[in-house]
Amino acid sequence: MTTTTEAAGHTGAVPTDTPRPYQSYVYAYPHKTAYRPLPERPALRDLWRGEPKGALSLYLHIPFCEVRCGFCNLFTRIGAPDDLTGRYLDALERQAVAVREALGDGPDVRFANAAFGGGTPTFLDADELARLCDIAELRTGADLRAVPLSVETSPATATADRLAVLAERGTTRLSIGVQSFVDAEARAAVRPQRRADVEAALTRIRDTDIPVLNIDLIYGIDGQTPASWRTSLDAALAWRPEELYLYPLYVRPLTGLGRSAAPLTDRAWDEQRLRLYREGRDHLLEHGYEQVSMRMFRRADAPAQGPDDYACQTDGMIGLGCGARSYTSSLHYSFEYAVDMREIRAIIDGYTATTSEEFARARHGRRVDGREARRRHLLQSLLQAEGMPLDDYRMRFGADPFDDFPAELAAFAARGWLEPWDDGERLRLTPEGLAHSDALGPELFSPEVRAAMAAYEPR
């Protein structure tokens, strides 16, 4: 067995083969571009039989926005004509009923947390948001007032009546995508908004009883400078948000920026983003925030959000909605994935016509065998600032990560991405390792997942 000291040894020099720092935002593994149609269409009841269900995560996806930002590759469409939101919620309710029947009614079924994402969930009006909460509570059995509930919003849709519904139904965290407080940068990112409107929305949010505010900011926008980046950081800090997410700008296929004549993809842009990331990280650390991951920073005195008994590496996920994914220990599944607006509209239309019987089966996904489960556990743990307890990995898999991934971990150590340690209890990234999370994560993808992602045809 390779010892932890050998694998984490440092020479002090960073090799010249260090990959480009911004390759892929790894928020789930395997990515949905590795999913494929499931010809057998397994019944959800069979998939969830025997699975641990005592600490499930619930995610409800609302695929609507008032505008589509130039950088966005999320599964969402602009607007919802002809009562589309009502028909979508009808389908969501049918799916929730089918999924709950598959999970069973036993006392072992419990949700540990919940989230409404999108798209923009607050695109729904106040009455529709109340219905969304009813679906989560009455159809799936989640107690929204007893578990952490996170909801995404936007400046234009964070209205007082919507916020009142969310606060009354138990929302504990509200995340608002601001991206930049500089109007010219917002326009450059194809995000039409004014700082005055953003500030008005933040005022309304702080007037509610929702305890945690998260503000999303983006660095790497065309024309952004260290001074303008500091302007956005300080404007956000003025609201004392409990959380801040700092996202690097990506230019992806089929997005508004991706269709531009001269997308920013060169090494100079990499260096600009790294420089702005480091400045943003250091500025937040100086102002009393703790780094949770490359992107996430939490105010040191912020109330805890995550439940003690939920672990994303091992516990199941129930995703409702046409852009949501669900996880069992052996299969990740969802509906089809698309970025192009016409394709998304077709998938949403198909979703609203789906019957209860069809919702009771998985139709699109990827099998996760033992080897992939090890990759997923290592990846999702290592990309957190606190790192991975080695005993958790050893107890779960009966193996040592240094034996399972010797080449990858040796490469990370050689680049100065792994912290040295003496007790051998935890595998943790250095500050530079965290800075290169979007390069490190993809290097842990299996050859099979890489091939499936490469074969995916963007749509």
Side-chain angles (χ1 to χ4, degrees):
M1 183 185 82
T2 303
T3 66
T4 56
T5 303
E6 290 169 345
H10 286 235
T11 64
V14 178
T16 58
D17 68 341
T18 299
R20 297 185 65 172
Y22 298 104
Q23 297 183 31
S24 175
Y25 171 22
V26 183
Y27 55 88
Y29 180 80
H31 190 268
K32 286 174 73 173
T33 54
Y35 291 12
R36 293 295 183 271
L38 300 169
E40 71 277 22
R41 295 229 173 165
L44 300 189
R45 185 178 298 275
D46 295 334
L47 289 176
W48 285 98
R49 184 179 295 120
E51 290 284 318
K53 293 172 281 195
L56 296 173
S57 184
L58 177 65
Y59 178 78
L60 276 65
H61 177 250
I62 303 300
F64 307 110
C65 289
E66 72 276 11
V67 295
R68 187 160 197 188
C69 303
F71 53 83
C72 179
N73 73 335
L74 297 178
F75 189 97
T76 187
R77 62 161 291 166
I78 301 171
D82 304 323
D83 191 36
L84 181 56
T85 55
R87 288 184 283 117
Y88 186 85
L89 290 173
D90 290 343
L92 195 72
E93 186 163 8
R94 291 196 300 274
Q95 185 184 14
V97 170
V99 169
R100 180 65 206 206
E101 289 178 352
L103 292 175
D105 293 325
D108 61 324
V109 180
R110 187 181 70 86
F111 291 95
N113 58 49
F116 301 160
T120 308
T122 50
F123 180 90
L124 301 178
D125 65 29
D127 289 340
E128 290 171 328
L129 281 173
R131 185 183 176 194
L132 184 68
C133 293
D134 285 342
I135 291 171
E137 292 186 328
L138 303 178
R139 301 308 185 194
T140 68
D143 187 348
L144 298 183
R145 293 178 178 84
V147 301
L149 170 61
S150 177
V151 181
E152 297 173 7
T153 190
S154 69
T157 61
T159 58
D161 58 340
R162 292 176 169 101
L163 295 174
V165 170
L166 295 176
E168 193 277 327
R169 299 302 290 264
T171 301
T172 56
R173 176 181 183 271
L174 200 70
S175 179
I176 184 168
V178 173
Q179 319 315 350
S180 177
F181 282 86
V182 178
D183 289 354
E185 290 179 3
R187 289 193 298 271
V190 194
R191 183 181 176 86
Q193 68 182 26
R194 298 184 307 136
R195 177 170 176 173
D197 296 330
V198 172
E199 302 273 5
L202 289 168
T203 298
R204 293 191 295 271
I205 291 170
R206 280 310 199 193
D207 285 342
T208 71
D209 294 327
I210 297 173
V212 172
L213 165 65
N214 172 71
I215 296 177
D216 290 345
L217 297 177
I218 285 181
Y219 54 93
I221 300 170
D222 189 25
Q224 192 174 51
T225 67
S228 67
W229 177 228
R230 180 68 66 90
T231 294
S232 282
L233 290 168
D234 287 339
L237 287 171
W239 293 94
R240 289 191 49 78
E242 285 71 24
E243 295 177 4
L244 272 160
Y245 270 71
L246 307 184
Y247 287 96
L249 179 67
Y250 275 98
V251 175
R252 300 178 175 97
L254 303 181
T255 63
L257 291 179
R259 294 187 177 95
S260 65
L264 299 169
T265 56
D266 58 14
R267 292 275 183 177
W269 191 35
D270 287 347
E271 290 303 316
Q272 179 207 20
R273 285 181 287 178
L274 269 178
R275 184 169 59 254
L276 294 174
Y277 160 78
R278 291 176 178 131
E279 292 176 0
R281 173 198 63 195
D282 294 348
H283 195 57
L284 295 187
L285 294 178
E286 291 169 1
H287 282 76
Y289 285 76
E290 299 172 343
Q291 186 164 19
V292 179
S293 68
M294 172 188 170
R295 288 165 171 75
M296 182 181 178
F297 296 81
R298 180 183 294 127
R299 212 177 70 206
D301 61 347
Q305 279 290 291
D308 294 335
D309 60 347
Y310 176 77
C312 64
Q313 298 91 338
T314 56
D315 290 316
M317 163 78 82
I318 294 295
L320 303 178
C322 59
R325 69 187 85 202
S326 299
Y327 308 144
T328 70
S329 60
S330 60
L331 180 71
H332 293 192
Y333 61 94
S334 68
F335 285 80
E336 293 177 283
Y337 173 72
V339 176
D340 180 78
M341 190 62 67
R342 286 173 296 182
E343 296 284 352
I344 289 174
R345 288 171 180 164
I347 293 172
I348 293 173
D349 289 343
Y351 176 83
T352 61
T354 302
T355 66
S356 299
E357 292 75 16
E358 292 172 317
F359 277 134
R361 293 183 174 275
R363 55 201 297 175
H364 202 79
R366 186 168 186 88
R367 296 285 178 182
V368 177
D369 60 19
R371 183 71 179 176
E372 293 289 15
R374 296 182 188 209
R375 287 186 180 275
R376 182 171 182 264
H377 187 108
L378 176 62
L379 190 156
Q380 291 190 294
S381 302
L382 197 55
L383 295 185
Q384 301 299 307
E386 66 180 8
M388 183 183 76
L390 290 168
D391 282 348
D392 286 359
Y393 187 98
R394 292 165 179 153
M395 290 178 63
R396 181 179 179 190
F397 300 111
D400 193 283
F402 298 101
D403 291 333
D404 286 344
F405 303 101
E408 294 93 334
L409 293 177
F412 298 159
R415 294 171 186 151
W417 289 357
L418 290 181
E419 290 278 9
W421 66 93
D422 297 323
D423 57 18
E425 292 183 358
R426 189 175 290 269
L427 192 63
R428 194 193 326 259
L429 297 180
T430 63
E432 274 305 287
L434 280 174
H436 287 80
S437 292
D438 285 4
L440 184 152
E443 290 201 20
L444 290 173
F445 293 2
S446 71
E448 295 79 11
V449 166
R450 288 176 183 272
M453 293 175 67
Y456 173 79
E457 295 185 6
R459 47 179 299 215

